[in-house]
């Protein structure tokens, strides 16, 4: 938000420098992010004065140059060499004196210096309008009226103005400060803490009067839910024209381009008082009646920008007597009902619209205007009529005409100021030090918060209507400390704390896992929980019916809460690979969201993703790509870090992976991991292999909470490990081998593990190679070679029979 300092001073006559005022505003919570200088004319015409050409003679050494003598009004005429064809004796002209800084069309700055042009001294420059930033013509020098005073600053002739503009980062709750008047209110309260008591000047509307009632337009509001307050007045016989320079410069200083006097006045009052206004061409309001209502969903309406929009049944529409839409209330005007150069009569609107409905409409149609920005945060409903009078009086002053109707008003139920009870002890407790009661009451008075009642410990307060964010005791205390000054709070050298004993500290274990991952070269990232609803179609285990959808999404890309952490991970991989960062290791703690028949469900996850090289090659070692088994080791390492020992792996049931494992502890699934299916990765523009692990973090927490140290005797008899390299059809999965293995041998087979997968050269078409290890053990005796061979033969025969497997040699 931009606040012009000279404009601000119209409400509070401070002599503080802008930088000092900016520091105070920041202390008050209106954070000044920067201060820049505005000049209506680049350079401000500083050093440019009027001069009279006394003599003009041809340059002896140049046909197109003239030597002039110019009176600058100080009694010391100067010689200036001029190249303009229209220069002549007796003219009053603009002269840039030595030391003046001018700007060319590109904004580049150049200084006027004493010079020697073709052997003749020149002490200044007679300027054309483009050289001064007053126009585009360079046909010749500017020539003023003969009666123009000599030696007068040219800046005064053209109402050149400059200002210092604050860039304020306004928090969403401070709707009261979204105007120059609102900022001045806060500044007045802040200055009082420095002993500077200044009056807050409010523009007077005492002279507002109705000239006649010959052009009355009535109003009818369908429901107070749409517009709790709506006012309007008709002004006839106006002349739409260019605004005066002072008004144009006020708007330009805060980045608004002037349009015409009527529209400029509505914008001026908006930024002056914080009340949005809208001016209609009264002759286009059929039936001399304004209806505030809803229209059916699907109704077409062309807005001021020429775009045809499809309305929603909740949009607040301003219509005429025939229910023809004229404007989207509080958001954007219509193409055919606004003020144009042919407008003679206007209907001026000032209203308070439902903030929730305005926000929905603004987001629905992607229309973020100055008006909607204020309406959706909550303006001062009591300022509505005052702002209408202020704007109407300015229109009469700058556009002529007359007030041709009484103010039409709909205000069925007045908004009462809010009552809050505050305890002195709570004030001292939250602030951290004791403030005197007089100090507290003076601060409250400076904020227009009235004291209704007072006891030894209690204050009964009345909060003004414009402070829509001050509703609780804590809000009052925040206001007190904001004005008192956070920098004025005393801090003790002693740190007091109290010990708290929690049954389980989730954050502690999250940090434990995060530290291990970071030590292994991973980076933590945080992703948006909102995503595209159609992404669940990439998996058969996810379901569109389980999507948690936003009622008013910011965009179609942020319409649903995520059901899987994988899609965010792939977006992050793609983002990095598009910036030539191909080797990535990320992790994220986050939640997934699901809607079921019995309610909503949130699940906490730890997502881990790797892609690219595990490490770069060098003279001692070849580069090593990341793989399935590296990720498996990472996940098992995390489980072991928190004490899990009996870890087993089985083929995953998730269809997000082309090859994957489920990692279990005591039969409970802890994580799914594997190689992401290529068609899913391709959907995000990722071409290289991506390995992903989804750790059910709550299962880890459940283990830690219920963990009891148990001891089991080590096996008395040794295990035996055997490997098989199998040539298989591409459609055979590790899960198939895993299940058949345990079906074939239930007693001696203890572990089955896939430790290598190969597809590519030197294999027949349609084939792949699996290297699978088998761990055998008899808990009652040592296995002999005959028993081992028998089991391995059974396994091999089962694979050959059921899958057509062949042993690779």
């Amino acid at each position: 938000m931009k606040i012009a300092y000279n404009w601000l001073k119209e409400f509070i006559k401070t002599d503080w420098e802008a930088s000092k005022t900016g520091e105070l505003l920041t202390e008050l919570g209106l954070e000044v992010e920067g201060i820049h200088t505005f000049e209506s004319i680049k350079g401000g015409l500083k050093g440019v004065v009027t001069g009279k050409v006394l003599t003009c003679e041809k340059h002896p050494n140049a046909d197109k140059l003239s030597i002039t003598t110019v009176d600058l009004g100080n009694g010391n005429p100067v010689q200036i060499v001029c190249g303009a064809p229209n220069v002549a004796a007796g003219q009053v002209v603009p002269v840039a004196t030595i030391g003046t800084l001018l700007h060319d069309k590109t904004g580049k700055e150049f200084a006027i210096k004493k010079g020697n042009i073709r052997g003749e001294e020149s002490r200044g420059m007679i300027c054309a309008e483009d050289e001064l930033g007053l126009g585009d013509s360079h046909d010749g020098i500017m020539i003023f009226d003969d009666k123009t005073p000599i030696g007068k600053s040219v800046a005064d002739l053209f109402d050149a103005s400059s200002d210092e503009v604050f860039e304020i980062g306004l928090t969403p709750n401070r709707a009261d400060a979204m105007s120059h008047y609102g900022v001045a209110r806060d500044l007045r309260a802040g200055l009082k803490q420095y002993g500077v008591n200044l009056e807050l000047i409010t523009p007077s509307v005492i002279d507002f009067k109705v000239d006649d009632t010959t052009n009355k337009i009535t109003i009818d509001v369908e429901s107070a839910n749409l517009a709790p307050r709506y006012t309007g007045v008709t002004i006839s016989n106006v002349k739409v024209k260019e605004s005066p320079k002072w008004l144009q410069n006020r708007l330009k200083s805060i980045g608004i381009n002037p349009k015409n006097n009527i529209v400029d006045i509505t914008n001026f009052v908006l930024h002056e008082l914080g009340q949005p206004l809208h001016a209609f061409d009264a002759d286009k309001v059929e039936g001399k009646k304004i209806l505030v209502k809803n229209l059916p969903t699907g109704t077409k309406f062309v807005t001021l920008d020429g775009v045809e929009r499809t309305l929603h049944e909740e949009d607040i529409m301003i219509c005429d007597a025939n229910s023809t839409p004229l404007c989207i209330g509080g958001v954007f005007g219509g193409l055919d009902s606004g003020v144009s150069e042919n407008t003679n009569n206007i209907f001026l609107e000032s209203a308070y619209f439902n903030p929730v409905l305005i926000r929905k409409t603004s987001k629905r149609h992607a229309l973020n205007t100055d008006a909607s920005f204020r309406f959706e945060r909550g303006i001062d409903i009591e300022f509505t009529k005052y702002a209408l009078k202020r704007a109407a009086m300015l229109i009469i002053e700058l556009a002529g005409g007359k007030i041709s109707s009484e103010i039409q008003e709909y205000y069925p139920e007045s908004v009462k100021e809010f009552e809050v009870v505050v305890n002195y002890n709570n004030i001292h407790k939250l602030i951290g030090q004791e403030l005197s009661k007089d100090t507290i009451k003076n601060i409250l008075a400076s904020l227009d918060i009235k004291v209704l009642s007072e006891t030894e410990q209690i204050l009964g307060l009345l909060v003004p209507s414009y402070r829509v964010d001050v509703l609780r005791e804590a809000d009052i205390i925040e206001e007190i400390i904001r004005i008192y000054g956070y920098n004025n709070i005393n801090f003790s050298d002693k740190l007091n704390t109290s010990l708290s004993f929690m049954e389980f500290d989730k954050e502690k274990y999250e940090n434990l896992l995060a530290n291990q991952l970071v030590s292994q070269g991973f980076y933590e990232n945080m992703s948006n929980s909102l995503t595209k609803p159609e992404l669940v179609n990439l998996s058969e285990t996810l379901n569109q019916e389980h999507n948690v959808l936003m009622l008013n999404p910011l965009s179609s890309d942020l319409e649903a809460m995520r059901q899987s952490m994988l899609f965010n991970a792939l977006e992050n991989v793609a983002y990095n690979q598009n910036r030539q960062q191909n080797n990535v290791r990320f992790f994220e703690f986050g939640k997934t969201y699901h809607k079921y028949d019995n309610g909503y469900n949130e699940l906490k996850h730890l997502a881990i993703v790797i892609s690219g090289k595990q490490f770069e090659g060098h003279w001692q070692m070849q580069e090593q790509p990341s793989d399935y088994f590296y990720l498996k080791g990472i996940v098992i390492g995390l489980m072991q870090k928190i004490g899990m020992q009996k870890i087993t792996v089985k083929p995953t049931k998730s269809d997000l992976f082309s090859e994957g494992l489920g990692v279990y502890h005591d039969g409970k699934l802890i994580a799914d991991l594997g190689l992401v299916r290529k068609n899913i990765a391709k959907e995000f523009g990722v071409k290289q292999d991506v390995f992903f692990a989804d750790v059910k973090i709550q299962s880890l927490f459940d283990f830690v909470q219920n963990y009891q140290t148990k001891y089991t005797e080590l096996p008395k008899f040794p295990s035996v490990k055997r490997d098989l390299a199998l040539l298989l059809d591409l459609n055979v999965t590790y899960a198939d081998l895993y299940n058949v293995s345990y079906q074939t041998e239930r007693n001696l087979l203890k572990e089955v593990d896939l430790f290598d997968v190969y597809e590519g050269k030197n294999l027949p078409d349609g084939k792949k190679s699996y290297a699978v290890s088998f761990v055998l053990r008899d808990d009652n005796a040592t296995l002999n070679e005959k028993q081992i061979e028998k089991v391995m033969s059974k396994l091999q025969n089962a694979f050959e029979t059921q899958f057509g497997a062949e042993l690779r040699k």
Side-chain angles (χ1 to χ4, degrees):
M1 182 181 72
K2 291 181 172 65
I3 295 294
Y5 198 24
N6 287 338
W7 194 348
L8 187 68
K9 289 178 181 179
E10 290 187 2
F11 302 104
I12 186 164
K13 302 295 185 181
T14 177
D15 58 359
W16 279 23
E17 293 182 357
S19 58
K20 188 176 179 180
T21 299
E23 291 174 2
L24 176 55
L25 290 174
T26 299
E27 290 177 10
L28 294 171
L30 304 179
E31 183 180 359
V32 176
E33 299 172 339
I35 303 175
H36 70 266
T37 299
F38 163 77
E39 294 174 327
S40 61
I41 300 173
K42 192 70 174 176
L45 298 178
K46 296 174 183 176
V48 183
V49 299
T50 56
K52 185 170 185 177
V53 181
L54 302 178
T55 64
C56 180
E57 300 175 357
K58 287 293 183 181
H59 194 294
N61 302 318
D63 294 339
K64 296 184 178 181
L65 298 179
S66 301
I67 300 174
T68 65
T69 305
V70 182
D71 179 8
L72 300 180
N74 58 7
N76 297 307
V78 295
Q79 178 173 297
I80 298 176
V81 176
C82 180
N86 62 331
V87 64
Q91 295 172 339
V92 179
V93 295
V95 179
T97 57
I98 293 174
T100 298
L101 296 177
L102 297 180
H103 300 79
D104 61 20
K105 292 181 179 179
T106 65
K108 186 177 180 181
E109 186 178 81
F110 62 95
I112 302 301
K113 301 176 181 179
K114 177 182 176 181
N116 189 293
I117 302 176
R118 296 288 183 95
E120 296 292 336
E121 182 182 70
S122 183
R123 301 179 61 86
M125 177 179 174
I126 303 176
C127 302
E129 65 177 41
D130 66 329
E131 293 165 333
L132 297 177
L134 297 172
D136 297 322
S137 174
H138 195 71
D139 295 336
I141 58 171
M142 291 186 72
I143 302 173
F144 299 133
D145 187 270
D146 293 344
K147 297 179 182 179
T148 304
I150 306 303
K152 184 178 179 63
S153 171
V154 173
D156 296 336
L157 297 179
F158 290 93
D159 293 325
S161 66
S162 63
D163 206 342
E164 291 172 288
V165 181
F166 301 110
E167 291 278 356
I168 296 179
L170 196 65
T171 54
N173 64 305
R174 292 303 308 277
D176 63 294
M178 292 188 294
S179 66
H180 286 75
Y181 184 75
V183 172
R185 272 191 307 230
D186 252 22
L187 183 59
R188 176 193 60 173
L191 287 171
K192 283 187 177 181
Q193 297 304 303
Y194 287 86
V196 181
N197 293 301
L198 296 176
E199 177 188 1
L200 183 65
I201 302 169
T202 304
S204 174
V205 295
I206 195 171
D207 293 331
F208 176 87
K209 65 182 179 67
V210 177
D211 296 301
D212 59 51
T213 57
T214 58
N215 198 10
K216 177 181 176 181
I217 293 179
T218 61
I219 59 175
D220 183 11
V221 180
E222 189 176 77
S223 167
N225 182 55
L226 303 179
R229 190 175 191 184
Y230 190 95
T231 64
V233 70
T234 309
I235 307 172
S236 300
N237 302 325
V238 298
K239 184 176 182 181
V240 180
K241 58 184 179 180
E242 186 179 82
S243 296
K245 290 295 183 183
W246 71 264
L247 179 54
Q248 291 189 41
N249 291 338
R250 279 281 184 259
L251 296 177
K252 287 179 181 178
S253 69
I254 57 172
I256 296 176
N257 292 323
K259 294 179 175 62
N260 59 58
N261 52 355
I262 305 298
V263 174
D264 291 349
I265 287 169
T266 61
N267 283 329
F268 176 81
V269 174
L270 165 67
H271 291 277
E272 178 187 53
L273 303 177
Q275 171 67 51
L277 304 164
H278 190 71
F280 298 89
D281 188 325
D283 296 328
K284 296 180 180 179
V285 180
E286 295 293 333
K288 297 296 182 181
K289 187 174 187 178
I290 288 288
L291 299 178
V292 182
K293 60 184 296 184
N294 299 124
L295 293 176
T297 296
T299 302
K300 303 297 183 181
F301 178 63
V302 181
T303 47
L304 198 58
D305 54 0
V307 176
E308 183 180 76
R309 303 183 187 275
T310 302
L311 301 179
H312 186 273
E313 61 184 7
E314 289 187 348
D315 294 336
I316 302 172
M317 298 304 299
I318 313 301
C319 305
D320 62 19
N322 301 324
S323 292
T324 302
L326 304 174
C327 170
I328 302 178
V331 179
F332 211 36
L335 182 65
D336 299 324
S337 63
V339 173
S340 69
E341 60 184 9
N342 299 318
T343 297
N344 294 313
N345 308 305
I346 65 170
F347 176 78
L348 186 63
E349 165 199 275
S350 179
Y352 180 97
F353 294 111
N354 184 316
V356 174
L357 296 180
I358 293 296
R359 179 166 178 80
K360 288 181 178 180
T361 295
S362 175
K363 298 305 178 186
R364 190 181 295 123
H365 297 291
L367 288 170
N368 298 310
T369 61
D370 283 338
S372 67
F373 179 82
R374 286 159 176 80
F375 278 127
E376 67 188 35
R377 285 160 175 78
I379 61 171
D380 182 8
I381 195 169
E382 294 300 323
F383 238 35
T384 303
K385 195 171 183 178
Y386 167 77
L388 181 72
K389 291 181 178 180
R390 167 70 169 157
M393 291 177 66
L394 284 171
I395 289 172
I396 297 299
E397 177 185 344
L398 303 181
K402 61 181 180 177
I403 308 292
S404 54
S405 77
E406 297 284 351
I407 291 179
Q408 304 298 299
E409 181 173 18
Y410 172 84
Y411 194 19
E413 186 176 351
S414 298
V415 172
K416 296 179 180 179
E417 295 181 318
F418 199 80
E419 295 185 12
V420 180
V421 175
V422 182
N423 189 303
Y424 280 117
N425 287 334
N426 290 339
I427 295 175
H428 306 324
K429 181 180 178 181
L430 286 181
I431 291 178
Q433 77 181 55
E434 189 168 332
L435 304 183
S436 70
K437 293 182 179 180
D438 286 341
T439 298
I440 291 171
K441 286 187 284 187
N442 287 337
I443 290 174
L444 293 173
S446 70
L447 292 169
D448 298 333
I449 298 175
K450 301 172 185 176
V451 177
L452 293 180
S453 60
E454 181 181 8
T455 66
E456 186 64 26
Q457 290 297 328
I458 301 295
L459 277 175
L461 303 174
L462 194 65
V463 180
S465 60
Y466 63 82
R467 289 312 305 268
V468 295
D469 60 321
V470 180
L471 303 173
R472 306 168 299 162
E473 182 183 46
D475 298 330
I476 294 290
I477 298 172
E478 181 184 0
E479 290 300 294
I480 292 171
I481 190 173
R482 184 174 68 83
I483 301 302
Y484 182 75
Y486 289 96
N487 294 335
N488 296 324
I489 301 299
N490 297 322
F491 292 92
S492 172
D493 294 331
K494 182 172 65 174
L495 177 64
N496 297 320
T497 186
S498 57
L499 296 176
S500 61
F501 297 92
M502 294 183 291
E503 292 183 4
F504 181 68
D505 186 356
K506 293 183 180 180
E507 187 175 335
K508 170 186 173 182
Y509 286 93
E510 283 190 13
N511 288 336
L512 183 72
L513 299 175
N515 288 338
Q516 174 147 327
L517 287 168
V518 169
S519 69
Q520 293 174 310
F522 284 80
Y523 291 89
E524 184 173 10
N525 61 261
M526 289 180 286
S527 304
N528 197 334
S529 298
L530 297 173
T531 187
K532 301 176 183 177
E534 60 270 15
L535 287 179
V536 298
N537 296 330
L538 296 173
S539 166
E540 293 182 2
T541 57
L542 303 176
N543 194 325
Q544 280 260 26
E545 294 180 358
H546 297 158
N547 271 334
V548 180
L549 300 176
M550 299 293 101
L551 292 176
N552 297 291
L554 293 174
S555 71
S556 58
D557 290 343
L558 301 172
E559 193 173 351
M561 305 291 280
R562 63 188 174 199
Q563 288 192 44
S564 172
M565 301 284 288
L566 172 62
F567 306 133
N568 291 113
L570 289 172
E571 287 173 351
N572 292 334
V573 172
Y575 181 90
N576 280 267
Q577 289 182 357
N578 290 339
R579 288 155 181 80
Q580 299 182 330
Q581 302 300 312
N582 296 315
N583 305 323
V584 297
R585 301 180 192 180
F586 295 142
F587 71 94
E588 177 180 2
F589 293 97
K591 291 182 177 180
T592 57
Y593 307 84
H594 309 265
K595 182 182 70 174
Y596 300 114
D597 293 338
N598 59 349
Y600 294 92
N601 191 20
E602 294 183 16
L603 299 174
K604 190 73 180 282
H605 299 257
L606 167 59
I608 305 172
V609 62
I610 58 176
S611 186
K613 299 173 186 175
Q614 185 176 335
F615 51 79
E616 298 281 356
H618 52 81
W619 65 275
Q620 256 186 334
M621 186 182 299
Q622 291 185 346
E623 66 181 33
Q624 178 67 42
S626 297
D627 57 29
Y628 177 88
F629 305 101
Y630 172 60
L631 181 59
K632 173 186 170 186
I634 293 293
V635 172
I636 291 177
L638 292 175
M639 297 167 65
Q640 293 172 338
K641 182 72 174 177
I642 63 170
M644 288 183 170
Q645 295 299 327
K646 293 184 178 180
I647 300 170
T648 57
V649 294
K650 299 178 183 178
T652 183
K653 297 178 181 178
S654 173
D655 66 350
L656 297 174
F657 306 107
S658 57
E659 299 292 344
L661 288 175
V663 185
Y664 293 79
H665 177 263
D666 280 346
K668 185 175 184 179
L669 179 65
I670 303 298
D672 285 305
L673 62 91
L675 174 63
V676 178
R677 281 171 34 204
K678 292 188 181 298
N679 67 306
I680 295 178
K682 185 179 179 181
E683 187 73 22
F684 295 85
V686 179
K687 297 180 181 179
Q688 64 188 38
D689 287 346
V690 178
F691 302 91
F692 177 76
D694 180 9
V695 182
K696 281 64 177 174
I697 200 74
Q698 188 58 49
S699 297
L700 296 181
F701 292 158
D702 291 343
F703 166 79
V704 173
Q705 286 179 276
N706 302 312
Y707 180 69
Q708 293 180 346
T709 303
K710 296 180 181 179
Y711 299 94
T712 56
E713 187 179 0
L714 291 173
K716 291 181 179 180
F717 301 98
S719 300
V720 176
K721 185 176 183 180
R722 292 289 186 269
D723 299 335
L724 291 178
L726 302 171
L727 190 64
L728 300 159
D729 292 336
L730 288 175
N731 62 346
V732 178
T733 66
Y734 168 55
D736 297 330
L737 298 179
Y738 182 92
N739 293 331
V740 167
S741 298
Y742 280 105
Q743 292 169 6
T744 303
E745 177 55 54
R746 300 178 184 275
N747 297 322
L748 300 181
L749 185 61
K750 302 300 181 183
E751 294 180 25
V752 180
D753 191 22
L754 175 68
F755 65 89
D756 189 33
V757 178
Y758 177 72
E759 298 179 27
K761 296 180 180 179
N762 302 323
L763 292 181
D765 291 340
K767 297 290 185 178
K768 63 181 175 182
S769 173
Y770 272 3
V772 186
S773 66
F774 305 88
V775 176
L776 309 176
R777 187 178 69 249
D778 187 340
D779 292 331
N780 299 310
T782 301
L783 290 172
N784 57 46
E785 194 63 33
K786 187 176 180 180
Q787 290 173 300
I788 297 169
E789 287 299 326
K790 182 180 178 180
V791 172
M792 294 306 296
S793 294
K794 285 169 59 180
L795 291 172
Q796 181 179 338
N797 289 335
F799 297 152
E800 290 173 352
T801 302
Q802 297 194 37
F803 307 119
E806 301 177 31
L807 283 182
R808 290 192 67 195
K809 298 180 181 179

